[in-house]
Amino acid sequence: MAVVVGFIPTEVGFKALAAAREEAQQRGGPLIVLNVRREGVQKDPRHADEQQWEIARDQLRGTSVRVEFREETTDEDIADVLLDVMETERAELLVLGVRRQQDLARHLLGLTVQKLLLAADGEVLVV
């Protein structure tokens, strides 16, 4: 069954990528690596550039399941894009990396993660 990882090119994003790889291999894949860009926003640390995509590809080389890299752009809610891909791919698992940089983040999840936890049809793994 398909596994989708909401990929951001940060330390925790690469940890989520590793967790998604393991899950996809256990479940028989495929693995869909999805980076969602906000339309009209040029510099956002969550947007993967070509060098970061290459690092992600290197991390996933040798994976025993099919891996697909996608980049979507939206002016809507990022959570909706992730949910749409999960539905389209009939994914059973969504993997997310959660930033823990701020004191508040240790106690509360961001709005996007909360929405995904509540609305996803499949399982959600938060790394």
Side-chain angles (χ1 to χ4, degrees), residues 6-74:
F7 174 65
I8 55 173
T10 62
E11 182 180 344
V12 73
F14 284 101
K15 287 179 182 177
L17 194 60
R21 175 187 180 158
E22 288 180 33
E23 289 290 336
Q25 289 180 151
Q26 289 176 6
R27 296 165 189 256
L31 172 58
I32 296 131
V33 182
L34 177 62
N35 181 247
V36 183
R37 301 172 77 78
R38 290 187 187 279
E39 192 169 305
V41 177
Q42 296 301 317
K43 296 193 180 210
D44 186 327
R46 295 169 292 192
H47 296 172
D49 63 26
E50 192 53 44
Q51 182 181 15
Q52 293 160 328
W53 277 118
E54 192 57 39
I55 294 167
R57 286 183 195 96
D58 285 346
Q59 184 174 334
L60 295 175
R61 281 198 212 301
T63 302
S64 63
V65 297
R66 180 175 58 86
V67 179
E68 184 178 331
F69 295 90
R70 293 187 193 174
E71 189 171 78
E72 300 280 340
T73 303
T74 186

Side-chain angles (χ1 to χ4, degrees), residues 98-109:
V98 176
R99 295 174 289 167
R100 297 176 186 93
Q101 299 167 354
Q102 302 167 345
D103 289 337
L104 184 59
R106 292 186 194 129
H107 304 289
L108 299 173
L109 298 172

